[in-house]
Amino acid sequence: MPYPLGANLTENGVNFSLFSANATKVILCIFDPISQLEIAQYILTHKTHHIWHGELTGAKDGLLYGYRVFGPYQPELGHRFNHHKLHLDPYARKLVGELQHSHALYGYDVDDASADLSFSQQDNAAFMPKCAVVDIERIKAIPIAPIRRELNHSIIYETHVKGFTKLHPDLPREMCGTFAGLSHPAVVEYLTQLGITAIELLPVHAFFDEPFLVEKKLNNYWGYNTAGFFAPHPQYLASDDIAEFRHMVSKMHQAGVEVILDVVYNHTAEGNHLGPSYHLKGIDNASYYRLMPNEPRFYINDTGCGNTLNVNHPQVLMLIMDSLRYWVEVMGVDGFRFDLASCLGRENYGFDPGSGFFDALMQDPTLCRVKLIVEPWDIGPGGYQLGNYPVVFSEWNDRYRDTMRRFWRGDNGILSEFAKRFHGSSDFFEHNGRGPAASINFITSHDGYTLHDLVSYQAKHNLANNEDNRDGHQENFSCHYGVEGETDSSKINTVRSRQKRNFLATLLLSQGVPMLLSGDEAGHTQQGNNNAYCQDTPDNWFNWRTIDWDLVHFTQELIKLRKHFPLLCHKAFIHQPEALFDNGIAWFNKLGEPMTKVLWSEHHCRTLTVIVTGNLLEAEVDAIPENTQALMLFINADELEQTFHQPNLIHFEHWSCVLHTQSDTQIDVAQTQANLDGKFYLQPRSLMIFHSHFQGVEHDRS
């Protein structure tokens, strides 16, 4: 049977199916489960519409296999077939064994002066992991309770399977750094007590280390170097059973936590024309990859990783769609974050929000219902596409990140930009009918500084990456407030502590979907490295023994606040000129005066008052006034103390402080101030959050 593709159990054995439009012969190779030596070969004699297939009678779950694919080795024409190389099944659901780096992994003779134009006759099977047949019906039998939480109520926690669990003191050693460790009660309890609603996992698809990292004795820690779109990364398994992943999802769902996967469908681990040959390059290079039109020996590199998948090809599109459905229907995940997503939306003429991939995703009855998040850029021409994705997508908002960093750093002329981002970035997302949830707000992510490092370093410190500190972001909008790196100065550390709380408070009080980088709530540091992709070391893993519990508790209170007040999670953008009793957002200067064009344009102003109102019960359409709540934020990003005056709002008079980032001011003192004279004294670089409820008569709605 040509479909389904991959290795699938039948009543009589296993059906094997592989796409290759340009191959001349395909051989299925079978390996001994103990020695992993090749013990049998079978020619796939059936070919249907470029699908090579055949049934192996008597084969069972767990059988180890791979493919040798025959065809022309003509790099100058885009073909790189080499039957001396064992290739992984693109649909393999499990990989067994570790990749061992060797010159045999290359389709060409590495020692030949003609580079990739030569042909290697070295067999690579001894150095390759093997594919294993998997009974997916057994995995699907593990119960998964759906959550179906709306994205506007999500609080996303970006984390790393290994880094988050490797050093946990309460985990059995064999579970550290694995999916089983991630589902351990001690880890789940930490997540639920923190209050997050979804974990976004850095890549869990099987990936390989890049050869240049191996030469430097480093590892690919992040995992953005995919070698298998269906197989969980073997090193993240505590057992030999990939059902461990679904068990993890089940445990998360039982705790009310959704699982979102960071997925890499823009490129693979095979690199450029000089890279190794693991699967697609030797199965059908000209079909699977985007090649230079006039020089098909070379790859279009819109990813910066050497190659770009040819998503415009129907079989490549099918591969990606089948992979996505597999992780939802079989593994139970709740959504995806697409790495370098602009690559997926590229047609031959450039990025198109109506591309075939986007259309296929939106019409799919399974995938259109899960959470879809994109990184809205790549490095190719016209690759930056923030705000230009179809309506079903939410987007990582780097404009939010940079604006909030610059505002709290004290940059001039940022006030109006701060308001736009705090408001949910309607200028980017409202034009095609999306709401604030289209904006995934973040201050930090895996790519860049941690929150602690953002307020501790002004220059990147990436020497450990062995790239002479040339890698990583050049402009981080960071500030160390007096000393580069760690310091014993209580004055500097006090400012840094306030700034971390300011960033967290801004993130969790903004309209849009907050994404928190794992460890930011605990004071995690990467020692100033803003590109720690290859730092798979204890120094870079989540250190459970040095947690800043005061910061954790502050983050918990912020999350509780966000969950308690639906007005922080409005579905639609709010454009009322003043804070009305039902739904509104209003802006005032520190004197309590409504903001005007003149006030917004004050170049040196770093203070702002924001009042957000809304119904206590979000579902109410015609809510009674008594259910209307209001939050007032006094924001002082200035390096000097500032005095704020409470705006004169007839329907909201009695305000109580619920949270603040000041170092000395006590909440009861702030409450007294609010009730006496309406003046508030904010320390440099601090904010205060107040709450009130509707106390006046209902507005005339006629």
Side-chain angles (χ1 to χ4, degrees), residues 128-141:
M128 287 285 289
K130 311 303 183 290
C131 307
V133 176
V134 173
D135 180 1
I136 63 173
E137 295 303 321
R138 176 182 63 85
I139 298 173
K140 290 168 69 175

Side-chain angles (χ1 to χ4, degrees), residues 456-529:
S456 304
Y457 296 89
Q458 286 182 192
K460 59 182 181 176
H461 296 263
N462 298 359
L463 288 174
N465 297 353
N466 291 336
E467 298 181 40
D468 297 324
N469 210 37
R470 296 189 305 269
D471 60 310
H473 293 292
Q474 301 302 317
E475 178 52 79
N476 300 281
F477 305 114
S478 62
C479 184
H480 58 44
Y481 304 100
V483 175
E484 184 75 357
E486 301 303 320
T487 178
D488 293 329
S489 169
S490 59
K491 180 179 179 181
I492 293 174
N493 286 329
T494 296
V495 174
R496 291 177 178 178
S497 178
R498 281 208 304 269
Q499 287 290 65
K500 284 190 280 188
R501 285 162 171 76
N502 289 332
F503 280 123
L504 290 169
T506 304
L507 176 66
L508 286 158
L509 297 174
S510 296
Q511 299 293 316
V513 181
M515 185 186 77
L516 181 67
L517 174 63
S518 175
D520 276 359
E521 80 286 0
H524 176 65
T525 178
Q526 294 170 176
Q527 295 81 43
N529 192 323

Side-chain angles (χ1 to χ4, degrees), residues 114-127:
S114 61
D116 64 310
L117 296 178
S118 61
F119 182 75
S120 169
Q121 297 187 38
Q122 285 185 277
D123 193 288
N124 71 336
F127 307 98

Side-chain angles (χ1 to χ4, degrees), residues 1-6 15-27 43-55 67-71 81 283-284:
M1 297 182 297
Y3 296 102
L5 287 158
N15 185 77
F16 293 89
S17 179
L18 179 75
F19 163 77
S20 180
N22 296 291
T24 58
K25 182 169 68 173
V26 175
I27 292 181
I43 298 176
L44 297 184
T45 56
H46 300 287
K47 184 181 179 183
T48 306
H49 302 153
H50 301 312
I51 306 292
W52 303 76
H53 56 97
E55 185 177 35
Y67 290 108
R68 297 185 185 274
V69 184
F70 291 70
F81 294 99
I283 293 173
D284 192 351

Side-chain angles (χ1 to χ4, degrees), residues 263-520:
V263 289
V264 186
Y265 295 111
N266 55 77
H267 76 282
T268 75
E270 294 188 300
N272 63 14
H273 65 291
L274 296 177
S277 183
Y278 299 134
H279 42 51
L280 307 182
K281 188 177 283 187
I283 293 173
D284 192 351
N285 185 69
S287 295
Y288 281 106
Y289 291 114
R290 296 179 62 211
L291 308 179
M292 297 295 291
N294 299 322
E295 291 185 286
R297 174 186 172 188
F298 303 105
Y299 297 86
I300 293 174
N301 187 21
D302 290 335
T303 66
C305 301
N307 63 61
T308 305
L309 274 179
N310 184 17
V311 183
N312 305 122
H313 192 290
Q315 287 294 152
V316 181
L317 178 60
M318 180 183 291
L319 170 68
I320 296 174
M321 297 297 292
D322 288 348
S323 170
L324 291 169
R325 277 192 296 270
Y326 175 79
W327 288 97
V328 173
E329 297 174 345
V330 177
M331 292 301 196
V333 305
D334 304 282
F336 305 95
R337 179 266 189 188
F338 295 93
D339 179 64
L340 298 180
S342 291
C343 286
L344 305 177
R346 285 187 180 275
E347 300 291 345
N348 291 332
Y349 47 83
F351 177 84
D352 186 350
S355 71
F357 172 73
F358 294 151
D359 287 346
L361 199 60
M362 289 189 291
Q363 65 78 42
D364 188 281
T366 296
L367 299 177
C368 71
R369 300 179 183 181
V370 303
K371 292 176 171 60
L372 302 173
I373 300 169
V374 296
E375 182 182 39
W377 52 77
D378 63 24
I379 69 165
Y384 187 79
Q385 293 292 333
L386 179 67
N388 293 330
Y389 280 75
V391 66
V392 299
F393 291 97
S394 294
E395 305 177 31
W396 270 30
N397 191 345
D398 64 324
R399 284 287 293 272
Y400 179 95
R401 174 198 66 196
D402 293 347
T403 297
M404 297 311 177
R405 289 184 177 191
R406 294 185 63 196
F407 177 78
W408 281 111
R409 187 173 67 172
D411 290 13
N412 291 323
I414 305 297
L415 199 61
S416 63
E417 179 77 1
F418 171 89
K420 291 176 183 177
R421 304 305 142 233
F422 188 90
H423 178 250
S425 297
S426 62
D427 51 335
F428 284 109
F429 303 115
E430 193 174 22
H431 63 90
N432 64 351
R434 288 186 286 176
S439 178
I440 304 297
N441 299 331
F442 63 103
I443 304 296
T444 60
S445 69
H446 69 275
D447 187 6
Y449 281 143
T450 66
L451 183 61
H452 179 82
D453 292 354
L454 182 66
V455 299
S456 304
Y457 296 89
Q458 286 182 192
K460 59 182 181 176
H461 296 263
N462 298 359
L463 288 174
N465 297 353
N466 291 336
E467 298 181 40
D468 297 324
N469 210 37
R470 296 189 305 269
D471 60 310
H473 293 292
Q474 301 302 317
E475 178 52 79
N476 300 281
F477 305 114
S478 62
C479 184
H480 58 44
Y481 304 100
V483 175
E484 184 75 357
E486 301 303 320
T487 178
D488 293 329
S489 169
S490 59
K491 180 179 179 181
I492 293 174
N493 286 329
T494 296
V495 174
R496 291 177 178 178
S497 178
R498 281 208 304 269
Q499 287 290 65
K500 284 190 280 188
R501 285 162 171 76
N502 289 332
F503 280 123
L504 290 169
T506 304
L507 176 66
L508 286 158
L509 297 174
S510 296
Q511 299 293 316
V513 181
M515 185 186 77
L516 181 67
L517 174 63
S518 175
D520 276 359

Side-chain angles (χ1 to χ4, degrees), residues 80-286:
R80 296 180 178 273
F81 294 99
N82 189 332
H83 60 277
H84 296 287
K85 310 300 175 182
L86 181 76
H87 288 100
L88 301 173
D89 181 359
Y91 278 76
R93 299 183 178 98
K94 179 181 178 181
L95 299 186
V96 176
E98 293 188 10
L99 180 77
Q100 301 177 50
H101 284 271
S102 165
H103 285 180
L105 298 173
Y106 295 79
Y108 62 94
D109 186 351
V110 176
D111 297 323
D112 194 302
S114 61
D116 64 310
L117 296 178
S118 61
F119 182 75
S120 169
Q121 297 187 38
Q122 285 185 277
D123 193 288
N124 71 336
F127 307 98
M128 287 285 289
K130 311 303 183 290
C131 307
V133 176
V134 173
D135 180 1
I136 63 173
E137 295 303 321
R138 176 182 63 85
I139 298 173
K140 290 168 69 175
I142 300 169
I144 294 284
I147 295 177
R148 297 192 178 93
R149 180 182 292 107
E150 293 190 65
L151 188 58
N152 64 305
H153 288 296
S154 295
I155 299 166
I156 299 173
Y157 190 78
E158 189 195 28
T159 193
H160 187 282
V161 172
K162 180 178 181 178
F164 190 52
T165 62
K166 187 65 176 176
L167 298 179
H168 199 295
D170 296 333
L171 267 59
R173 185 174 181 181
E174 66 275 10
M175 294 175 66
C176 293
T178 68
F179 299 121
L182 194 59
S183 63
H184 189 277
V187 175
V188 176
E189 182 182 18
Y190 177 84
L191 294 171
T192 54
Q193 288 189 352
L194 184 61
I196 62 97
T197 68
I199 52 173
E200 182 176 301
L201 299 177
L202 266 68
V204 300
H205 292 175
F207 61 87
F208 294 154
D209 293 331
E210 293 89 338
F212 78 90
L213 286 179
V214 175
E215 292 176 3
K216 296 178 181 180
K217 297 183 179 179
L218 296 171
N219 303 101
N220 187 318
Y221 174 59
W222 287 350
Y224 293 91
N225 205 41
T226 305
F229 297 118
F230 293 78
H233 189 54
Q235 282 68 47
Y236 292 168
L237 292 169
S239 63
D240 189 43
D241 190 353
I242 65 170
E244 181 182 319
F245 182 91
R246 184 166 170 112
H247 277 293
M248 179 272 293
V249 176
S250 178
K251 293 294 184 182
M252 288 294 172
H253 281 200
Q254 291 174 27
V257 177
E258 295 180 298
V259 178
I260 299 171
L261 300 186
D262 194 337
V263 289
V264 186
Y265 295 111
N266 55 77
H267 76 282
T268 75
E270 294 188 300
N272 63 14
H273 65 291
L274 296 177
S277 183
Y278 299 134
H279 42 51
L280 307 182
K281 188 177 283 187
I283 293 173
D284 192 351
N285 185 69

